[in-house]
Amino acid sequence: MKGRIDTDMGEVVIRPEVIATYAGSVAVECFGIVGMAAVNMKDGIVRLLKRDSLQHGINVVINNNRISLEFHVIMSYGVSIPAVAENLIDSVKYKVEEFTGMKIEKIRILVEGVRVID
């Protein structure tokens, strides 16, 4: 489903892929996040996504102009997972709501792996 915003001049429609790309770029800027992950359900293999494929690690559901996000992330080794997750939630919630004009209903974070960063 697409997000719709009515204005005096007409209607604005936001595709979920646009929200996923923006949310992914916000997420990788957060301290402790190495990147977004793609999970191969058949093999159970997790791989780090490149910067231009960030939306594949994020699921976006829009229902009555309320956004639910699910992130598949890889975190840095040695960071506090709860602290990084809270920072990610706060950053994404604020920036995506400002960007879209819609409210965030739920953010779910799935830590798919941990990487040592040089």
Side-chain angles (χ1 to χ4, degrees):
M1 180 174 228
K2 299 175 185 171
R4 297 182 187 278
I5 303 167
D6 291 318
T7 67
D8 295 338
M9 301 293 285
E11 182 179 61
V12 177
V13 178
I14 304 173
R15 296 179 52 88
E17 295 83 8
V18 173
I19 295 170
T21 301
Y22 184 73
S25 67
V26 170
V28 296
E29 292 175 3
C30 291
F31 173 78
I33 301 292
V34 174
M36 305 310 296
V39 181
N40 183 335
M41 294 300 180
K42 179 182 170 193
D43 301 328
I45 296 174
V46 176
R47 66 182 175 87
L48 183 64
L49 292 170
K50 295 181 180 169
R51 193 118 167 104
D52 57 344
S53 303
L54 295 176
Q55 73 268 17
H56 297 298
I58 302 171
N59 296 329
V60 178
V61 176
I62 303 170
N63 193 4
N64 295 327
N65 278 347
R66 299 185 68 77
I67 304 169
S68 294
L69 298 168
E70 182 177 85
F71 289 85
H72 297 266
V73 298
I74 297 175
M75 290 193 180
S76 299
Y77 177 80
V79 299
S80 168
I81 291 175
V84 172
E86 185 175 339
N87 181 41
L88 174 61
I89 290 169
D90 291 343
S91 295
V92 168
K93 183 177 186 320
Y94 175 76
K95 290 184 178 179
V96 170
E97 284 181 350
E98 283 291 312
F99 179 68
T100 63
M102 294 185 276
K103 291 290 181 191
I104 299 288
E105 185 171 47
K106 179 171 69 169
I107 298 176
R108 185 170 179 222
I109 300 172
L110 301 164
V111 180
E112 301 292 352
V114 179
R115 288 253 170 111
V116 177
I117 303 299
D118 299 332

